Amino acid sequence: MTEAVASGATGTGATFWAPVEYTDVAELRGPLIVVRGIGHGGRGVGWDDYASIELESGEVRHGLVLESDRDLAVIQVFEGTAGIRAEGTRVRFAGRPMRVPVGAGWLGRVCDGRGRPLDGGPPVSGASDAAVNGFPLNPTLREPPAEPVLTGISAIDLLTTLVRGQKIAVFSGGGLPHLELAAQIAAQAGSATGSASGSGGGTPFSVVFAAMGLTHADAAAVRDTLEERSAGGGLTLLLNLADDPVIERMLTPRLALTVAEHLAFTLGRHVLVVLADMTAYCEALREVSAARGEIPARRAYPGYLYSDLASLYERCGRVRGRDGSLTVLPVLSMPAGDITHPVPDLTGYITEGQILLTRDVSSYPHIDPLSSLSRMMRAGAGPGRTRPEHVDLAAQILAALSRARQARELAEMAGESALSPVDRRYLALAGAFERDLLAQRRDEFRSLEETFDRAWRVVSVLPRRELSMLPGDVLDANYREGT
């Protein structure tokens, strides 16, 4: 270890310490380095300190302090520890958390999980920088979520409307196209009614897409889907591949949210952050926890998984006096389709609803409307936001689909001959719903008006007397029996 050098800052009386080099590497453990002797450097080394690791060859790697205890510091190395020898390795601590440049320079860029360019452009720069982990938002300055974020996907816009400032998750069974759906939402989403153009009410709209643990083929497909929006300067894409270091996977969503916070709360944009796949992130967290020797909790995930996920999801919201908003859409796969698995289970506790993809629905996007829910939908739908009858129409369709499910179960037990004529109409409605409203191409954008036209055709399969949740004047204007 070399000695620290103190110097007074001219005119301020403050004291700065030159970086201290530590050469006593006690252990290499998976993606972690354990450094000894930190208690004798003239200043403390704290949790989340940014570190530079210089190898014998002159190569420099980077990391963050996971733990600091008396004489030892545990550092997670972004590039991994392959090729590092304890002898001849030098570690420097910056004395502050990792920071990244922020600003509009991120728009239209494609970078890896650490923010390094993948699009052939120069490194991203900004007029200022911000801590990757962000800072807690004063709860007294929070405004409730309000106004819709429209995706151009009928089943979402009609039944589980996204709301600016909300956090809502997509849960997917294994093998279902959750990544394709996430990319389609990112490509089409907008805040203007019926528009994905990127502006609404004079406030620009942007998307930050953070992909974690992708194969090269999936990454190429995501880039192709988002190419038009990225070229238009409305999207930031961060790609962490499956063969990238596991530590980088833990950094990717934090970097995405830091970029998005500045776009939303400083530059005044409406920002949608898509995080896919959060299960890959949690598996990376589990791997690092095991390397640290922590006592495992459920399914070997660390006991702090809930608080770690909350530290990401809770960075969404709206701020009083600011024009922008930050909406978070985590996308995660459920191992073995188990919704009680720790990742979807804890995510469900934190978020304000979920969109469930299931194999029981044969048509893309495979959304199960009866298992999906947006708890904030009323804040983003209705008069002055979408359509006056939106909430009532969505409730009527869900009630009808529930009745259709009961009729289908009865038909399976007793045969269709046991069904009443009305029950058969409900079964016809369920078929019309999946065929005319739910089913949608992967590249198809539907305006809000088209979605409502299709929804009214679906409910018009039922006799008018069955539509008890809709006001009479609304039915007079829109109901066409048998259409």
Side-chain angles (χ1 to χ4, degrees), residues 15 196-197 236 272 373 456:
T15 299
S197 61
T236 300
L272 172 66
L373 171 69
W456 276 109

Side-chain angles (χ1 to χ4, degrees), residues 68-224:
S68 176
D69 184 16
R70 298 180 184 176
D71 201 41
L72 298 176
V74 180
I75 306 166
Q76 57 181 4
V77 184
F78 296 140
E79 299 89 349
T81 58
I84 297 181
R85 294 176 62 249
E87 299 80 10
T89 298
R90 297 172 175 271
V91 181
R92 295 185 183 91
F93 297 98
R96 59 178 176 84
M98 181 179 179
R99 301 181 70 86
V100 294
V102 290
W106 283 96
L107 295 173
R109 300 303 304 271
V110 180
C111 300
D112 66 9
R114 289 176 51 203
R116 297 173 297 185
L118 295 175
D119 53 11
V124 179
S125 60
S128 60
D129 59 19
V132 168
N133 281 333
F135 297 99
L137 181 62
N138 186 338
T140 64
L141 297 179
R142 283 187 180 273
E143 291 283 353
E147 304 299 327
V149 174
L150 300 178
T151 65
I153 298 172
S154 293
I156 296 176
D157 291 343
L158 180 68
L159 302 178
T160 53
T161 310
L162 274 63
V163 182
R164 294 180 198 162
Q166 180 185 17
K167 48 190 180 294
I168 184 171
V170 175
F171 293 171
S172 173
L176 291 174
H178 59 279
L179 187 62
E180 290 90 334
L181 178 61
Q184 184 178 4
I185 291 172
Q188 298 180 171
S191 60
T193 300
S195 171
S197 61
S199 63
T203 302
F205 188 93
S206 303
V207 176
V208 178
F209 193 105
M212 291 158 280
L214 267 59
T215 65
H216 288 267
D218 284 341
V222 168
R223 291 188 68 168
D224 288 344

Side-chain angles (χ1 to χ4, degrees), residues 370-390:
L370 294 180
S371 298
S372 301
L373 171 69
S374 174
R375 297 186 183 93
M376 304 303 301
M377 178 173 167
R378 287 183 177 274
R385 296 186 175 95
T386 52
R387 286 266 290 259
E389 76 273 21
H390 187 161

Side-chain angles (χ1 to χ4, degrees), residues 368-452:
D368 183 350
L370 294 180
S371 298
S372 301
L373 171 69
S374 174
R375 297 186 183 93
M376 304 303 301
M377 178 173 167
R378 287 183 177 274
R385 296 186 175 95
T386 52
R387 286 266 290 259
E389 76 273 21
H390 187 161
V391 175
D392 293 334
L393 182 59
Q396 184 69 73
I397 289 177
L398 292 175
L401 291 174
S402 180
R403 173 78 178 270
R405 179 174 292 182
Q406 294 174 347
R408 187 178 297 112
E409 292 172 352
L410 178 61
E412 290 173 354
M413 292 187 294
E416 285 201 23
S417 60
L419 298 180
S420 67
V422 172
D423 284 338
R424 292 191 179 95
R425 297 285 286 272
Y426 276 101
L427 286 180
L429 176 140
F433 173 82
E434 182 165 347
R435 181 180 61 253
D436 299 332
L437 185 64
L438 176 63
Q440 190 167 341
R441 298 192 316 274
R442 287 168 167 80
D443 60 349
E444 180 182 2
F445 171 82
R446 290 183 187 164
S447 68
L448 197 61
E449 289 303 314
E450 181 182 356
T451 291
F452 272 87

